[in-house]
Structure formats: structure tokens, C-alpha cells
PDB file of all heavy atoms in Angstrom:
ATOM      1  N   GLU P   1      32.370 109.841 154.611  1.00 98.00           N
ATOM      2  CA  GLU P   1      33.631 109.102 154.528  1.00 98.00           C
ATOM      3  C   GLU P   1      33.605 107.830 155.376  1.00 98.00           C
ATOM      4  O   GLU P   1      34.100 106.782 154.952  1.00 98.00           O
ATOM      5  CB  GLU P   1      34.794 110.012 154.970  1.00 98.00           C
ATOM      6  CG  GLU P   1      35.145 111.074 153.959  1.00 98.00           C
ATOM      7  CD  GLU P   1      36.222 112.028 154.452  1.00 98.00           C
ATOM      8  OE1 GLU P   1      36.611 111.919 155.641  1.00 98.00           O
ATOM      9  OE2 GLU P   1      36.673 112.881 153.661  1.00 98.00           O
ATOM     10  N   SER P   2      33.023 107.914 156.549  1.00 98.00           N
ATOM     11  CA  SER P   2      32.938 106.715 157.389  1.00 98.00           C
ATOM     12  C   SER P   2      31.976 105.704 156.787  1.00 98.00           C
ATOM     13  O   SER P   2      32.224 104.492 156.846  1.00 98.00           O
ATOM     14  CB  SER P   2      32.513 107.086 158.821  1.00 98.00           C
ATOM     15  OG  SER P   2      31.261 107.724 158.837  1.00 98.00           O
ATOM     16  N   LEU P   3      30.896 106.185 156.170  1.00 97.00           N
ATOM     17  CA  LEU P   3      29.953 105.270 155.529  1.00 97.00           C
ATOM     18  C   LEU P   3      30.597 104.581 154.329  1.00 97.00           C
ATOM     19  O   LEU P   3      30.298 103.412 154.039  1.00 97.00           O
ATOM     20  CB  LEU P   3      28.696 106.021 155.103  1.00 97.00           C
ATOM     21  CG  LEU P   3      27.510 105.143 154.676  1.00 97.00           C
ATOM     22  CD1 LEU P   3      27.026 104.273 155.830  1.00 97.00           C
ATOM     23  CD2 LEU P   3      26.361 106.004 154.147  1.00 97.00           C
ATOM     24  N   GLU P   4      31.485 105.280 153.641  1.00 97.00           N
ATOM     25  CA  GLU P   4      32.209 104.668 152.514  1.00 97.00           C
ATOM     26  C   GLU P   4      33.007 103.462 152.990  1.00 97.00           C
ATOM     27  O   GLU P   4      33.039 102.418 152.316  1.00 97.00           O
ATOM     28  CB  GLU P   4      33.142 105.697 151.871  1.00 97.00           C
ATOM     29  CG  GLU P   4      32.430 106.755 151.051  1.00 97.00           C
ATOM     30  CD  GLU P   4      33.372 107.851 150.573  1.00 97.00           C
ATOM     31  OE1 GLU P   4      34.530 107.897 151.057  1.00 97.00           O
ATOM     32  OE2 GLU P   4      32.952 108.667 149.730  1.00 97.00           O
ATOM     33  N   LYS P   5      33.650 103.588 154.130  1.00 97.00           N
ATOM     34  CA  LYS P   5      34.441 102.484 154.673  1.00 97.00           C
ATOM     35  C   LYS P   5      33.539 101.308 155.078  1.00 97.00           C
ATOM     36  O   LYS P   5      33.882 100.146 154.869  1.00 97.00           O
ATOM     37  CB  LYS P   5      35.250 102.960 155.880  1.00 97.00           C
ATOM     38  CG  LYS P   5      36.229 104.094 155.581  1.00 97.00           C
ATOM     39  CD  LYS P   5      37.243 103.703 154.523  1.00 97.00           C
ATOM     40  CE  LYS P   5      38.243 104.818 154.284  1.00 97.00           C
ATOM     41  NZ  LYS P   5      39.187 104.489 153.183  1.00 97.00           N
ATOM     42  N   ILE P   6      32.401 101.635 155.670  1.00 97.00           N
ATOM     43  CA  ILE P   6      31.462 100.589 156.068  1.00 97.00           C
ATOM     44  C   ILE P   6      30.885  99.878 154.836  1.00 97.00           C
ATOM     45  O   ILE P   6      30.708  98.657 154.836  1.00 97.00           O
ATOM     46  CB  ILE P   6      30.342 101.188 156.940  1.00 97.00           C
ATOM     47  CG1 ILE P   6      30.930 101.692 158.268  1.00 97.00           C
ATOM     48  CG2 ILE P   6      29.238 100.175 157.204  1.00 97.00           C
ATOM     49  CD1 ILE P   6      29.969 102.491 159.113  1.00 97.00           C
ATOM     50  N   GLU P   7      30.640 100.634 153.780  1.00 96.00           N
ATOM     51  CA  GLU P   7      30.158 100.049 152.527  1.00 96.00           C
ATOM     52  C   GLU P   7      31.174  99.043 151.982  1.00 96.00           C
ATOM     53  O   GLU P   7      30.811  97.961 151.503  1.00 96.00           O
ATOM     54  CB  GLU P   7      29.910 101.158 151.493  1.00 96.00           C
ATOM     55  CG  GLU P   7      29.654 100.684 150.075  1.00 96.00           C
ATOM     56  CD  GLU P   7      28.207 100.444 149.731  1.00 96.00           C
ATOM     57  OE1 GLU P   7      27.355 100.551 150.632  1.00 96.00           O
ATOM     58  OE2 GLU P   7      27.911 100.135 148.568  1.00 96.00           O
ATOM     59  N   GLU P   8      32.453  99.389 152.073  1.00 95.00           N
ATOM     60  CA  GLU P   8      33.504  98.491 151.587  1.00 95.00           C
ATOM     61  C   GLU P   8      33.505  97.161 152.345  1.00 95.00           C
ATOM     62  O   GLU P   8      33.722  96.104 151.757  1.00 95.00           O
ATOM     63  CB  GLU P   8      34.868  99.168 151.721  1.00 95.00           C
ATOM     64  CG  GLU P   8      35.069 100.338 150.768  1.00 95.00           C
ATOM     65  CD  GLU P   8      36.369 101.078 151.042  1.00 95.00           C
ATOM     66  OE1 GLU P   8      37.175 100.600 151.880  1.00 95.00           O
ATOM     67  OE2 GLU P   8      36.590 102.139 150.423  1.00 95.00           O
ATOM     68  N   VAL P   9      33.253  97.219 153.644  1.00 94.00           N
ATOM     69  CA  VAL P   9      33.197  95.997 154.456  1.00 94.00           C
ATOM     70  C   VAL P   9      32.061  95.114 153.989  1.00 94.00           C
ATOM     71  O   VAL P   9      32.211  93.883 153.851  1.00 94.00           O
ATOM     72  CB  VAL P   9      33.015  96.340 155.952  1.00 94.00           C
ATOM     73  CG1 VAL P   9      32.835  95.069 156.777  1.00 94.00           C
ATOM     74  CG2 VAL P   9      34.207  97.128 156.466  1.00 94.00           C
ATOM     75  N   LEU P  10      30.912  95.719 153.707  1.00 93.00           N
ATOM     76  CA  LEU P  10      29.749  94.948 153.264  1.00 93.00           C
ATOM     77  C   LEU P  10      29.986  94.341 151.888  1.00 93.00           C
ATOM     78  O   LEU P  10      29.619  93.190 151.637  1.00 93.00           O
ATOM     79  CB  LEU P  10      28.519  95.852 153.254  1.00 93.00           C
ATOM     80  CG  LEU P  10      27.160  95.178 153.037  1.00 93.00           C
ATOM     81  CD1 LEU P  10      26.928  94.077 154.069  1.00 93.00           C
ATOM     82  CD2 LEU P  10      26.046  96.217 153.114  1.00 93.00           C
ATOM     83  N   ILE P  11      30.616  95.108 151.003  1.00 91.00           N
ATOM     84  CA  ILE P  11      30.907  94.606 149.654  1.00 91.00           C
ATOM     85  C   ILE P  11      31.850  93.408 149.707  1.00 91.00           C
ATOM     86  O   ILE P  11      31.667  92.407 149.001  1.00 91.00           O
ATOM     87  CB  ILE P  11      31.507  95.733 148.780  1.00 91.00           C
ATOM     88  CG1 ILE P  11      30.450  96.795 148.481  1.00 91.00           C
ATOM     89  CG2 ILE P  11      32.069  95.158 147.481  1.00 91.00           C
ATOM     90  CD1 ILE P  11      30.998  98.012 147.778  1.00 91.00           C
ATOM     91  N   LYS P  12      32.869  93.501 150.572  1.00 88.00           N
ATOM     92  CA  LYS P  12      33.835  92.392 150.692  1.00 88.00           C
ATOM     93  C   LYS P  12      33.168  91.099 151.128  1.00 88.00           C
ATOM     94  O   LYS P  12      33.571  90.012 150.727  1.00 88.00           O
ATOM     95  CB  LYS P  12      34.936  92.771 151.691  1.00 88.00           C
ATOM     96  CG  LYS P  12      35.919  93.805 151.164  1.00 88.00           C
ATOM     97  CD  LYS P  12      36.962  94.153 152.216  1.00 88.00           C
ATOM     98  CE  LYS P  12      37.910  95.240 151.717  1.00 88.00           C
ATOM     99  NZ  LYS P  12      38.896  95.648 152.765  1.00 88.00           N
ATOM    100  N   GLY P  13      32.143  91.229 151.980  1.00 80.00           N
ATOM    101  CA  GLY P  13      31.452  90.044 152.463  1.00 80.00           C
ATOM    102  C   GLY P  13      30.578  89.379 151.416  1.00 80.00           C
ATOM    103  O   GLY P  13      30.282  88.183 151.502  1.00 80.00           O
ATOM    104  N   LYS P  14      30.167  90.164 150.404  1.00 83.00           N
ATOM    105  CA  LYS P  14      29.339  89.667 149.304  1.00 83.00           C
ATOM    106  C   LYS P  14      28.136  88.870 149.806  1.00 83.00           C
ATOM    107  O   LYS P  14      27.822  87.794 149.304  1.00 83.00           O
ATOM    108  CB  LYS P  14      30.178  88.791 148.351  1.00 83.00           C
ATOM    109  CG  LYS P  14      31.331  89.516 147.679  1.00 83.00           C
ATOM    110  CD  LYS P  14      32.129  88.599 146.780  1.00 83.00           C
ATOM    111  CE  LYS P  14      33.281  89.327 146.133  1.00 83.00           C
ATOM    112  NZ  LYS P  14      34.111  88.449 145.265  1.00 83.00           N
ATOM    113  N   SER P  15      27.483  89.410 150.832  1.00 87.00           N
ATOM    114  CA  SER P  15      26.346  88.698 151.409  1.00 87.00           C
ATOM    115  C   SER P  15      25.232  89.676 151.750  1.00 87.00           C
ATOM    116  O   SER P  15      25.394  90.889 151.653  1.00 87.00           O
ATOM    117  CB  SER P  15      26.772  87.920 152.656  1.00 87.00           C
ATOM    118  OG  SER P  15      27.386  88.782 153.592  1.00 87.00           O
ATOM    119  N   LYS P  16      24.113  89.143 152.161  1.00 92.00           N
ATOM    120  CA  LYS P  16      22.922  89.939 152.452  1.00 92.00           C
ATOM    121  C   LYS P  16      23.120  90.825 153.681  1.00 92.00           C
ATOM    122  O   LYS P  16      22.641  91.955 153.736  1.00 92.00           O
ATOM    123  CB  LYS P  16      21.741  88.989 152.673  1.00 92.00           C
ATOM    124  CG  LYS P  16      20.389  89.647 152.795  1.00 92.00           C
ATOM    125  CD  LYS P  16      19.307  88.581 152.885  1.00 92.00           C
ATOM    126  CE  LYS P  16      17.927  89.215 152.990  1.00 92.00           C
ATOM    127  NZ  LYS P  16      16.862  88.185 153.090  1.00 92.00           N
ATOM    128  N   PHE P  17      23.846  90.284 154.655  1.00 95.00           N
ATOM    129  CA  PHE P  17      24.101  91.001 155.904  1.00 95.00           C
ATOM    130  C   PHE P  17      25.602  91.010 156.192  1.00 95.00           C
ATOM    131  O   PHE P  17      26.355  90.243 155.602  1.00 95.00           O
ATOM    132  CB  PHE P  17      23.355  90.346 157.071  1.00 95.00           C
ATOM    133  CG  PHE P  17      21.860  90.307 156.924  1.00 95.00           C
ATOM    134  CD1 PHE P  17      21.206  89.127 156.632  1.00 95.00           C
ATOM    135  CD2 PHE P  17      21.107  91.466 157.073  1.00 95.00           C
ATOM    136  CE1 PHE P  17      19.828  89.088 156.490  1.00 95.00           C
ATOM    137  CE2 PHE P  17      19.734  91.439 156.943  1.00 95.00           C
ATOM    138  CZ  PHE P  17      19.092  90.250 156.647  1.00 95.00           C
ATOM    139  N   PHE P  18      26.020  91.840 157.130  1.00 94.00           N
ATOM    140  CA  PHE P  18      27.407  91.811 157.574  1.00 94.00           C
ATOM    141  C   PHE P  18      27.734  90.446 158.184  1.00 94.00           C
ATOM    142  O   PHE P  18      28.865  89.988 158.111  1.00 94.00           O
ATOM    143  CB  PHE P  18      27.667  92.909 158.619  1.00 94.00           C
ATOM    144  CG  PHE P  18      27.697  94.296 158.053  1.00 94.00           C
ATOM    145  CD1 PHE P  18      26.579  95.121 158.144  1.00 94.00           C
ATOM    146  CD2 PHE P  18      28.828  94.789 157.427  1.00 94.00           C
ATOM    147  CE1 PHE P  18      26.595  96.405 157.630  1.00 94.00           C
ATOM    148  CE2 PHE P  18      28.857  96.075 156.911  1.00 94.00           C
ATOM    149  CZ  PHE P  18      27.737  96.886 157.010  1.00 94.00           C
ATOM    150  N   GLY P  19      26.728  89.830 158.797  1.00 86.00           N
ATOM    151  CA  GLY P  19      26.916  88.527 159.416  1.00 86.00           C
ATOM    152  C   GLY P  19      26.775  87.356 158.459  1.00 86.00           C
ATOM    153  O   GLY P  19      26.754  86.207 158.894  1.00 86.00           O
ATOM    154  N   GLY P  20      26.647  87.629 157.156  1.00 90.00           N
ATOM    155  CA  GLY P  20      26.469  86.561 156.173  1.00 90.00           C
ATOM    156  C   GLY P  20      25.035  86.549 155.674  1.00 90.00           C
ATOM    157  O   GLY P  20      24.473  87.586 155.337  1.00 90.00           O
ATOM    158  N   GLU P  21      24.423  85.376 155.658  1.00 90.00           N
ATOM    159  CA  GLU P  21      23.037  85.284 155.205  1.00 90.00           C
ATOM    160  C   GLU P  21      22.053  85.470 156.343  1.00 90.00           C
ATOM    161  O   GLU P  21      20.842  85.451 156.136  1.00 90.00           O
ATOM    162  CB  GLU P  21      22.812  83.921 154.513  1.00 90.00           C
ATOM    163  CG  GLU P  21      23.547  83.800 153.196  1.00 90.00           C
ATOM    164  CD  GLU P  21      23.254  84.969 152.245  1.00 90.00           C
ATOM    165  OE1 GLU P  21      22.063  85.239 151.979  1.00 90.00           O
ATOM    166  OE2 GLU P  21      24.214  85.624 151.786  1.00 90.00           O
ATOM    167  N   LYS P  22      22.564  85.617 157.568  1.00 93.00           N
ATOM    168  CA  LYS P  22      21.694  85.947 158.698  1.00 93.00           C
ATOM    169  C   LYS P  22      22.345  87.070 159.499  1.00 93.00           C
ATOM    170  O   LYS P  22      23.562  87.233 159.467  1.00 93.00           O
ATOM    171  CB  LYS P  22      21.444  84.717 159.586  1.00 93.00           C
ATOM    172  CG  LYS P  22      22.692  84.149 160.238  1.00 93.00           C
ATOM    173  CD  LYS P  22      22.320  82.950 161.110  1.00 93.00           C
ATOM    174  CE  LYS P  22      23.543  82.450 161.890  1.00 93.00           C
ATOM    175  NZ  LYS P  22      23.191  81.317 162.780  1.00 93.00           N
ATOM    176  N   ILE P  23      21.543  87.829 160.203  1.00 95.00           N
ATOM    177  CA  ILE P  23      22.101  88.992 160.889  1.00 95.00           C
ATOM    178  C   ILE P  23      22.958  88.571 162.081  1.00 95.00           C
ATOM    179  O   ILE P  23      22.687  87.575 162.746  1.00 95.00           O
ATOM    180  CB  ILE P  23      21.007  89.996 161.321  1.00 95.00           C
ATOM    181  CG1 ILE P  23      20.074  89.401 162.376  1.00 95.00           C
ATOM    182  CG2 ILE P  23      20.205  90.464 160.142  1.00 95.00           C
ATOM    183  CD1 ILE P  23      19.084  90.414 162.897  1.00 95.00           C
ATOM    184  N   GLY P  24      24.005  89.354 162.301  1.00 96.00           N
ATOM    185  CA  GLY P  24      24.922  89.076 163.396  1.00 96.00           C
ATOM    186  C   GLY P  24      25.250  90.342 164.171  1.00 96.00           C
ATOM    187  O   GLY P  24      24.525  91.344 164.093  1.00 96.00           O
TER     188      GLY P  24
END
């Protein structure tokens, strides 16, 4: 369930990383 929420954050960003196109 917690991973589902984290997946949603990544999908919203629509990028390679959570930090965008480079890791943050």
C-alpha cells in the first residue's frame, strides 16, 4: 500500500527520476 502511493508520486512527475531527469 505504501509503495502504491510512492508509485503515484512518480507517475505524476512523468519523468525518469523523482527529481526530474536527474536524481535528487
